[in-house]
Amino acid sequence: MKPLVAELLEANIGKVKEQEPLANHTTMKVGGPADIFVEPDSIESLKKTMEIIQKHQVSWRAIGRGSNLLVSDEGIEGVVIKLGEGLDELKVEGEEVTVGGGYSLIRLATVISKQGLSGLEFAGGIPGSVGGAVYMNAGAHGSDMSRIVKKAQILFPDGTIEWLTNEQMEFAYRTSILQTKRPGICLAAILQLKQGNREEIVARMQKNKDYRRETQPWNYPCAGSIFRNPLPHYAGRLIEEAGLKGYAIGGAKISEQHANFIVNVGNAKAQDVLDLIDYVKKTIKQLHGIDLQTEVEIVGRKS
């Protein structure tokens, strides 16, 4: 790894660290170190980073604000690229919004609603970055990113940058082509919104925010919804009816506020969370014959 680190530092691409604890970069506050952690300061720096990674043929993955991520205690092999400053531009032209992949989704929803643009109200309480939201087709309150993304600008591992249309992104429930077929990094997105009544839009978004605050345990470190809803059922309801609210393993506990959330109640290890996920899966399988699938992305070395 030493020649790779030396080349990354020499390229002057932004922050480069070795053995950076990923617990510092995930909302669950768990996870071991990244072998190499890079925070590029521009799209050009990100392209250069990818060139160097490909040259050295090491594995990589991108993260945003770490809100839908569970990193193993053993950490992540290779390079972790964090998108943030330098990839957070915002341009509003009429009903079309161009926004960088590193931009905060909550902040975007707030800014846009105050300009009287409708379509992002559902995102008012969703933590994470725009790039992460596009990658996983984030959604809530009956809507999701697929309804507003006109195009997404993607950097692929070979260094090419393409604008993919909504159709080409192959959005589905909590997923996109970036997860299923073509790994890549969302640099930016063009969102198609609609002009509306500013006061009504702000009120709708605030209502969604308040609902999340009242029903979800954001006062504890957590990673958002742990399981996908096995429609027509709801994961949270199945877990609650199984009597698992409050069940804990180590420092990880099923939230008493919302059963589809696992919270870090004190120095939880990633393994505590994984063991709790397995316990829930087995319980729901025994009771209902339903195989719950995780919505949170589980990454890193296996123990």
Side-chain angles (χ1 to χ4, degrees), residues 88-101 103-105 107-120 130 134 145 148-153 163 186-195:
D88 58 357
E89 70 285 351
L90 176 65
K91 185 169 71 175
V92 181
E93 293 176 301
E95 296 181 332
E96 210 171 79
V97 173
T98 304
V99 60
Y103 204 97
S104 157
L105 191 62
R107 184 173 161 219
L108 178 66
T110 303
V111 169
I112 291 306
S113 69
K114 287 175 181 173
Q115 295 193 29
L117 289 171
S118 176
L120 258 174
V130 168
V134 170
M145 295 300 289
I148 55 171
V149 172
K150 188 176 178 182
K151 287 182 182 176
Q153 187 185 37
W163 280 98
C186 177
L187 303 178
I190 297 175
L191 310 180
Q192 186 63 57
L193 304 175
K194 287 180 182 173
Q195 200 70 43

Side-chain angles (χ1 to χ4, degrees), residues 258-284:
H258 192 308
N260 197 16
F261 281 67
I262 291 176
V263 292
N264 181 351
V265 291
N267 301 316
K269 297 286 186 191
Q271 196 57 51
D272 297 337
V273 182
L274 289 167
D275 290 346
L276 202 44
I277 286 171
D278 283 343
Y279 183 78
V280 170
K281 280 183 169 181
K282 283 173 186 166
T283 304
I284 300 307

Side-chain angles (χ1 to χ4, degrees), residues 12-29:
N12 196 26
I13 49 163
K15 293 176 189 168
V16 179
K17 299 177 184 177
E18 290 185 83
Q19 297 301 310
E20 172 70 5
L22 291 170
N24 297 341
H25 302 278
T26 62
T27 57
M28 181 70 93
K29 303 296 179 196

Side-chain angles (χ1 to χ4, degrees), residues 20-34 37 63 65-76 80 220-224 226 249-253 262-277 296-300:
E20 172 70 5
L22 291 170
N24 297 341
H25 302 278
T26 62
T27 57
M28 181 70 93
K29 303 296 179 196
V30 301
F37 181 86
I63 65 170
R65 290 167 182 260
S67 63
N68 189 51
L69 206 57
L70 177 57
V71 178
S72 72
D73 294 315
E74 290 70 35
I76 295 180
V80 171
Y220 286 100
C222 64
I226 293 292
I249 293 178
K253 182 168 88 166
I262 291 176
V263 292
N264 181 351
V265 291
N267 301 316
K269 297 286 186 191
Q271 196 57 51
D272 297 337
V273 182
L274 289 167
D275 290 346
L276 202 44
I277 286 171
V296 67
E297 197 175 0
I298 300 167
V299 298

Side-chain angles (χ1 to χ4, degrees), residues 26-271:
T26 62
T27 57
M28 181 70 93
K29 303 296 179 196
V30 301
D35 288 350
I36 302 170
F37 181 86
V38 180
E39 201 167 350
D41 55 18
S42 67
I43 286 179
E44 279 310 307
S45 293
L46 178 55
K47 277 187 73 175
K48 185 67 183 169
T49 300
M50 195 60 83
E51 279 174 29
I52 295 169
I53 288 170
Q54 292 302 308
K55 176 183 164 186
H56 289 264
Q57 295 187 316
V58 296
S59 57
W60 64 273
R61 74 157 294 117
I63 65 170
R65 290 167 182 260
S67 63
N68 189 51
L69 206 57
L70 177 57
V71 178
S72 72
D73 294 315
E74 290 70 35
I76 295 180
E77 191 176 346
V79 181
V80 171
I81 304 165
K82 181 169 182 175
L83 306 185
E85 290 176 23
L87 290 151
D88 58 357
E89 70 285 351
L90 176 65
K91 185 169 71 175
V92 181
E93 293 176 301
E95 296 181 332
E96 210 171 79
V97 173
T98 304
V99 60
Y103 204 97
S104 157
L105 191 62
I106 288 179
R107 184 173 161 219
L108 178 66
T110 303
V111 169
I112 291 306
S113 69
K114 287 175 181 173
Q115 295 193 29
L117 289 171
S118 176
L120 258 174
E121 294 92 325
F122 74 89
I126 300 178
S129 64
V130 168
V134 170
Y135 173 82
M136 71 164 292
N137 188 22
H141 308 290
S143 191
D144 58 31
M145 295 300 289
S146 73
R147 305 205 184 186
I148 55 171
V149 172
K150 188 176 178 182
K151 287 182 182 176
Q153 187 185 37
I154 311 298
L155 170 65
F156 291 104
D158 64 0
T160 59
I161 294 177
E162 287 180 48
W163 280 98
L164 300 188
T165 64
N166 183 293
E167 199 172 281
Q168 289 171 321
M169 283 297 296
E170 294 184 14
F171 288 118
Y173 177 63
R174 302 295 176 265
T175 191
S176 72
I177 196 169
L178 303 182
Q179 286 190 59
T180 56
K181 293 179 189 171
R182 296 184 72 190
I185 297 173
C186 177
L187 303 178
I190 297 175
L191 310 180
Q192 186 63 57
L193 304 175
K194 287 180 182 173
Q195 200 70 43
N197 181 290
R198 181 181 173 277
E199 285 73 23
E200 287 176 11
I201 293 165
V202 170
R204 273 199 302 274
M205 198 195 68
Q206 192 58 50
K207 186 181 173 187
N208 290 342
K209 263 188 178 178
D210 292 343
Y211 176 79
R212 290 179 81 89
R213 201 175 292 120
E214 288 160 15
T215 60
Q216 298 176 3
W218 293 105
N219 50 331
Y220 286 100
C222 64
S225 297
I226 293 292
F227 298 103
R228 297 165 189 249
N229 288 322
L231 298 173
H233 304 284
Y234 291 91
R237 194 171 297 160
L238 291 171
I239 298 164
E240 182 175 353
E241 287 170 358
L244 294 180
K245 266 189 172 182
Y247 187 85
I249 293 178
K253 182 168 88 166
I254 296 171
S255 168
E256 284 154 348
Q257 197 172 358
H258 192 308
N260 197 16
F261 281 67
I262 291 176
V263 292
N264 181 351
V265 291
N267 301 316
K269 297 286 186 191
Q271 196 57 51

